[in-house]
């Protein structure tokens, strides 16, 4: 990085640190400070405000401002409609997203480039540890406990991977150090959608393997969507390699894939495929669609005051915030995405994948996603003003 002060360099490194802290599971041994993600985000914002003036790009002030106001609208909908305070997580993710969008392209790409390379190393080491555990070779730092709606689930803390308690008895899903395997699967799908395969050839195959081993239905569906969307330009060689790789993985993990993926799709009732909502919540949600609350929701904190079982995804967000907030979010995010990446077939394909994933994960300002979606299109620039 040329002609940057040490405080500006620290600011950029903090921007790079934020997504890794946010990816780190809250029940991991490495999450040694309560609310660590909040503190790191606030520290990054502090440096950005006081020492990041030379890093800022004002050319996109208007679109970023429009997006910012839209996010404030969505986040504060429960406050205005029901008098309920916004969630802290949504606020600090929003602040990171806006501050990142205001960075100059060369600095956004510097963060993206380092993020992809470091994440690939972490996943690669995690995959090695995963394979060794399957062979009976392990070294754990301690026992972990994850609180879920059904109770407490035990895990083991490895160095680069978290292992479920049943790891020695059956095939288990790769989750690296994240909250759960679906995080790895969705993130890998987004990276594979957007990554420059020529520039990041090794990283591309690492993310492919990590996504496959996560046994995430979202990963497989998003990857299939991407392959179908790019079939007109896909090389036959790559298609054959993909088929052979998929066949090999299915042969090795046949039972696990049948249990966690195939059996979820091969059902008579399509509602059984959706495991993001409990039966109780689905009934409540159907009643909600016919009620007067459908525009503004019932409130974010009111939702958690009731016992609806384990629920996630867009249905839950609609129930909390209402359809107006969802529409505002949909149009504002699509608008800012096109303003940063241009309007063409490839970007439309990525945006469709984002909204497909939104059905099951609604963290629209999740820092790893923000870095990927608003920097990947800069990979072709050759005159970036920094040293890689």
């Amino acid at each position: 990085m040329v002609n940057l002060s040490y405080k500006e360099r620290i600011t950029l490194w903090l921007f790079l640190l934020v997504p890794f802290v946010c990816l780190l599971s809250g029940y991991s041994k490495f999450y040694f400070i309560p609310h660590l993600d909040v503190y790191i985000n606030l520290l990054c914002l502090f440096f950005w405000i006081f020492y990041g003036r030379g890093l800022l790009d004002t050319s996109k002030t208007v679109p970023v401002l429009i997006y910012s106001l839209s996010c404030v609208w969505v986040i504060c909908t429960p406050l205005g409609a029901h008098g309920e305070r916004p969630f802290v997580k949504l606020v600090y993710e929003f602040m990171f997203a806006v501050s990142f969008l205001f960075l100059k392209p060369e600095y956004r790409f510097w963060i993206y480039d380092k993020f992809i390379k470091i994440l690939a190393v972490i996943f690669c080491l995690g995959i090695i540890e995963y394979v060794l555990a399957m062979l009976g070779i392990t070294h754990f730092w301690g026992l972990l406990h994850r609180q879920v709606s059904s109770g407490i689930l035990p895990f083991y803390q490895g160095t680069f991977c978290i292992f479920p308690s049943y790891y020695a008895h059956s095939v288990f899903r790769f989750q690296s150090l994240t909250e759960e395997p679906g995080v790895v699967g969705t993130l890998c799908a987004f990276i594979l959608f957007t990554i420059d395969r020529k520039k990041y050839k090794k990283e591309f195959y690492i993310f492919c393997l990590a996504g496959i081993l996560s046994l995430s239905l979202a990963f497989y569906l998003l990857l299939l969507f991407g392959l179908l969307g790019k079939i007109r330009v896909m090389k036959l060689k790559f298609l054959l390699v993909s088929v052979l790789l998929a066949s090999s993985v299915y042969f090795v993990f046949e039972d696990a894939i049948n249990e966690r993926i195939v059996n979820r799709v091969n059902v008579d009732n399509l509602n059984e495929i959706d495991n993001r909502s409990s039966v109780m919540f689905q009934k409540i949600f159907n009643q909600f669609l016919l009620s007067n609350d459908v525009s503004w929701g019932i409130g974010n904190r009111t939702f958690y005051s009731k016992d609806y079982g384990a629920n996630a995804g867009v249905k839950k967000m609609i129930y909390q915030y209402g359809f107006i907030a969802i529409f505002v979010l949909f149009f504002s995010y699509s608008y800012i995405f096109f303003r940063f990446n241009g309007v063409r077939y490839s970007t439309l394909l990525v945006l469709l994948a984002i909204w497909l994933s939104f059905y099951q994960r609604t963290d629209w300002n999740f820092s790893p996603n923000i870095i990927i979606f608003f920097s990947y299109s800069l990979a072709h620039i050759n005159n970036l003003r920094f040293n890689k």
Side-chain angles (χ1 to χ4, degrees):
M1 293 174 285
V2 181
N3 299 326
L4 290 183
S5 67
Y6 77 93
K7 292 181 180 178
E8 290 173 328
R9 293 170 183 265
I10 292 175
T11 302
L12 289 180
W13 281 105
L14 285 172
F15 269 104
L16 179 60
L17 179 61
V18 166
F20 290 106
V21 173
C22 290
L23 281 172
L24 183 63
S25 168
Y27 59 88
S28 169
K29 290 286 185 182
F30 298 127
Y31 197 92
F32 53 91
I33 300 176
H35 310 299
L36 178 62
D37 50 345
V38 179
Y39 298 139
I40 294 298
N41 270 274
L42 291 178
L43 183 61
C44 179
L45 182 66
F46 174 85
F47 270 79
W48 177 79
I49 291 174
F50 290 98
Y51 307 118
R53 184 175 301 176
L55 307 175
L56 303 185
D57 177 17
T58 58
S59 65
K60 287 188 171 61
T61 298
V62 173
V64 174
L65 181 60
I66 293 174
Y67 179 66
S68 301
L69 293 175
S70 300
C71 286
V72 171
W73 173 286
V74 175
I75 294 171
C76 293
T77 290
L79 178 64
H82 307 285
E84 297 183 4
R85 292 177 290 107
F87 290 131
V88 174
K89 183 175 184 288
L90 293 184
V91 174
Y92 74 66
E93 286 183 341
F94 157 67
M95 292 190 297
F96 175 87
V98 172
S99 56
F100 182 81
L101 292 175
F102 266 120
L103 294 177
K104 293 179 179 178
E106 57 264 35
Y107 301 129
R108 280 189 284 119
F109 182 73
W110 182 90
I111 296 168
Y112 169 83
D113 180 70
K114 295 294 185 291
F115 174 70
I116 291 295
K117 291 177 179 178
I118 295 174
L119 185 64
V121 172
I122 293 174
F123 279 1
C124 182
L125 294 173
I127 291 171
I128 294 173
E129 191 174 21
Y130 172 92
V131 173
L132 290 175
M134 293 185 66
L135 298 175
I137 305 172
T138 59
H139 176 71
F140 298 139
W141 297 97
L143 183 65
L144 307 176
H145 297 92
R146 180 187 177 190
Q147 183 71 47
V148 295
S149 60
S150 58
I152 298 177
L153 296 178
F155 290 83
Y156 293 104
Q157 176 71 68
T159 304
F160 296 99
C161 200
I162 293 174
F163 299 89
S165 58
Y166 57 83
Y167 80 94
H169 307 292
S170 63
V171 175
F172 57 97
R173 303 170 65 188
F174 174 71
Q175 68 179 82
S176 185
L177 296 172
T178 66
E179 189 79 9
E180 50 99 10
V183 175
V184 173
T186 304
L187 183 62
C188 287
F190 285 151
I191 292 175
L192 295 178
F193 251 91
T194 56
I195 198 171
D196 184 337
R197 287 178 52 211
K198 293 182 179 179
K199 182 176 178 61
Y200 301 102
K201 189 173 183 178
K202 295 179 181 177
E203 290 83 358
F204 176 85
Y205 290 109
I206 291 173
F207 291 126
C208 273
L209 186 55
I212 291 171
L213 294 178
S214 73
L215 299 179
S216 167
L217 179 59
F219 172 80
Y220 289 98
L221 291 179
L222 288 172
L223 192 63
L224 177 62
F225 172 76
L227 291 175
L228 292 176
K230 296 181 179 180
I231 199 168
R232 64 179 187 178
V233 295
M234 192 190 310
K235 293 181 179 179
L236 180 60
K237 178 182 176 181
F238 177 69
L239 179 60
L240 292 175
V241 171
S242 300
V243 172
L244 289 174
L245 180 60
S247 301
S248 301
V249 171
Y250 181 76
F251 177 78
V252 176
F253 299 101
E254 180 178 358
D255 292 338
I257 292 177
N258 285 339
E259 176 186 351
R260 300 180 183 277
I261 298 175
V262 176
N263 291 342
R264 282 178 60 188
V265 179
N266 185 26
V267 292
D268 296 328
N269 184 2
L270 293 178
N271 290 330
E272 295 181 32
I273 298 176
D274 180 10
N275 67 346
R276 310 303 288 178
S277 305
S278 66
V279 175
M280 180 188 301
F281 176 71
Q282 186 59 52
K283 293 180 179 178
I284 298 296
F285 184 77
N286 291 338
Q287 296 172 5
F288 163 79
L289 294 177
L290 302 175
S291 71
N292 295 327
D293 294 324
V294 71
S295 296
W296 303 103
I298 68 162
N300 54 347
R301 297 182 184 273
T302 297
F303 173 84
Y304 287 102
S305 68
K306 304 178 185 296
D307 184 13
Y308 292 138
N311 298 280
V314 73
K315 289 181 183 178
K316 186 181 90 168
M317 187 174 181
I318 292 173
Y319 191 63
Q320 292 175 294
Y321 294 85
F323 273 104
I324 293 179
I326 297 298
F327 287 142
V328 170
L329 175 60
F330 174 82
F331 287 110
S332 63
Y333 197 96
S334 300
Y335 165 74
I336 194 72
F337 182 82
F338 283 132
R339 286 300 302 265
F340 272 74
N341 298 293
V343 181
R344 52 185 181 274
Y345 178 76
S346 60
T347 54
L348 178 60
L349 197 65
V350 173
L351 185 62
L352 288 175
I354 293 173
W355 290 123
L356 285 175
S357 174
F358 192 75
Y359 179 82
Q360 52 119 18
R361 295 185 184 278
T362 57
D363 297 327
W364 73 93
N365 280 330
F366 188 44
S367 54
N369 293 348
I370 289 295
I371 290 173
I372 293 169
F373 296 145
F374 295 95
S375 303
Y376 81 92
S377 60
L378 300 172
H380 67 282
I381 297 178
N382 296 317
N383 59 344
L384 297 178
R385 299 185 297 275
F386 62 86
N387 294 325
K388 298 179 183 177

